[in-house]
Amino acid sequence: MFSAANNKVFQLLVPTPVTQLASELQQTNHVLQVKSVINVDLNTKKLTGLDSSRRSPTCVNDRLQSHHGVAKFRQVAEFVTGLMPKKSNGEVAAHPKYWLEIKDSDHRDRVSLNGFDLKSGALGAWQADGNTKFGLFQWIELNPDVEIDILEGGVKHPLSQKLDYINYLDPNQSLNYRIDISQGEWKQGGTLLDTTQFQGKEGMSGHAAIVIHRDGNIFVHPYEKGKWQHTSTTDGKPVLSAGMIKIKLGKAKSFHLDSGHYMPQLPQLEHFLERTVAKGVDISQLEIHAKHIARDKIDGLIRQYTR
């Protein structure tokens, strides 16, 4: 079943009359069911449509049609379906607090969009404007200097004052950051990769963002808060692993299983180890950190993959 956070963000993306009818998402055996109103098969990615047993002049169908919400509802259902991971493959999804950032065609940063609490930021200001007939993103375009807070009841500032735009690359642009690993050497565009000049996250100087896409391809690119994030090459889609890596002259030196967008856990560490070892990387010479995993489990995995 979807968490409260997933459901809350979903309701922000569809018209209010529709969310009153479909306020809860349930995930069962790879089928996303929205209160029996609409089904989305996660394998075929197809909508099976409105439940015909509920179509009557006084029931769901007429109420949806009367609010012109069906098209929007279907669009958002497809968007949400695209963000769902195949957990049986060890995939991990972007956290729901980033859904508005992903959905926004301009990819404004999530704190400016919905604050730290999913109800402040531009979203809170938009909801407080009871007279608007515009959707959130169009409303932002019309009110670029609206006063916002990033925690409900906090100090306000103009939206434009601290607004960041996250780089979301198209598939062709992303190819510039795809990595080839052969005999333990990391190359990008045929040149030995070196990240030691990158700023990285706090406490991770010389590290770059690394993401293993769901197709197994590995991408490495700069990390810069408010500009470059782990979704920059993924369009927010699920991944097999995400973290921070330090590479010097083509040799991996340090890896941190660390991503605010994806919050990777043990399966994602296993994906990283499995794929790098298969490419000849000597992980016994690699410093490996995972702040949410006990050290003994990390060391056990390392021993498993260095036998």
Side-chain angles (χ1 to χ4, degrees), residues 59-105:
C59 290
V60 175
N61 193 42
D62 280 1
R63 291 178 64 191
L64 287 173
Q65 293 286 3
S66 66
H67 290 100
H68 307 287
V70 170
K72 179 66 173 177
F73 187 81
R74 287 174 178 268
Q75 178 188 24
V76 174
E78 289 176 337
F79 167 74
V80 172
T81 299
L83 301 182
M84 294 297 99
K86 293 182 179 178
K87 292 189 177 180
S88 60
N89 294 344
E91 294 180 354
V92 64
H95 191 279
K97 64 187 176 184
Y98 294 100
W99 283 8
L100 286 180
E101 174 190 298
I102 295 167
K103 179 66 174 173
D104 181 11
S105 61

Side-chain angles (χ1 to χ4, degrees), residues 17-291:
V18 177
T19 60
Q20 290 171 351
L21 298 173
S23 62
E24 185 174 334
L25 294 174
Q26 294 179 324
Q27 186 179 5
T28 307
N29 297 328
H30 298 294
V31 176
L32 187 69
Q33 298 180 322
V34 186
K35 283 287 190 181
S36 298
V37 176
I38 196 166
N39 295 329
V40 185
D41 189 314
L42 294 185
N43 292 318
T44 64
K45 305 293 186 182
K46 292 180 179 178
L47 302 176
T48 60
L50 294 172
D51 184 344
S52 59
S53 67
R54 293 175 175 261
R55 294 182 184 176
S56 71
T58 59
C59 290
V60 175
N61 193 42
D62 280 1
R63 291 178 64 191
L64 287 173
Q65 293 286 3
S66 66
H67 290 100
H68 307 287
V70 170
K72 179 66 173 177
F73 187 81
R74 287 174 178 268
Q75 178 188 24
V76 174
E78 289 176 337
F79 167 74
V80 172
T81 299
L83 301 182
M84 294 297 99
K86 293 182 179 178
K87 292 189 177 180
S88 60
N89 294 344
E91 294 180 354
V92 64
H95 191 279
K97 64 187 176 184
Y98 294 100
W99 283 8
L100 286 180
E101 174 190 298
I102 295 167
K103 179 66 174 173
D104 181 11
S105 61
D106 289 329
H107 304 296
R108 300 169 182 89
D109 70 281
R110 70 99 177 174
V111 174
S112 295
L113 284 176
N114 48 242
F116 288 109
D117 52 10
L118 289 181
K119 58 184 179 181
S120 52
L123 171 66
W126 171 68
Q127 290 177 323
D129 184 355
N131 297 319
T132 186
K133 296 181 180 180
F134 297 104
L136 172 62
F137 302 128
Q138 187 176 1
W139 183 87
I140 291 174
E141 295 293 334
L142 297 171
N143 299 275
D145 294 314
V146 64
E147 292 283 314
I148 68 165
D149 52 19
I150 56 177
L151 280 174
E152 193 173 30
V155 177
K156 293 192 173 185
H157 63 271
L159 171 63
S160 60
Q161 186 179 88
K162 299 181 180 180
L163 180 64
D164 287 319
Y165 293 86
I166 311 302
N167 290 324
Y168 276 67
L169 307 182
D170 65 37
N172 287 331
Q173 293 171 326
S174 296
L175 289 176
N176 293 324
Y177 299 95
R178 193 171 69 183
I179 299 301
D180 293 311
I181 308 174
S182 178
Q183 297 181 335
E185 288 191 329
W186 298 61
K187 292 184 178 181
Q188 197 170 66
T191 302
L192 289 177
L193 183 61
D194 194 301
T195 68
T196 56
Q197 300 304 310
F198 289 176
Q199 179 180 345
K201 285 189 173 186
E202 183 177 355
M204 300 181 200
S205 177
H207 288 69
I210 177 173
V211 182
I212 303 180
H213 287 208
R214 63 197 319 179
D215 63 4
N217 283 315
I218 299 175
F219 292 74
V220 174
H221 57 77
Y223 177 92
E224 183 181 351
K225 188 174 178 62
K227 300 295 181 185
W228 288 91
Q229 310 282 4
H230 283 98
T231 48
S232 288
T233 64
T234 70
D235 198 33
K237 300 297 189 297
V239 300
L240 295 177
S241 191
M244 301 293 295
I245 194 162
K246 184 176 184 178
I247 299 170
K248 184 175 182 180
L249 298 176
K251 295 293 184 181
K253 300 296 183 182
S254 172
F255 172 74
H256 292 256
L257 189 73
D258 188 309
S259 169
H261 277 71
Y262 287 107
M263 299 185 177
Q265 300 294 329
L266 190 64
Q268 288 72 56
L269 178 58
E270 290 192 67
H271 275 303
F272 170 80
L273 295 174
E274 178 183 356
R275 278 161 173 73
T276 53
V277 168
K279 297 291 186 178
V281 175
D282 184 359
I283 59 172
S284 68
Q285 302 300 309
L286 183 63
E287 294 181 16
I288 297 177
H289 308 273
K291 59 185 179 181

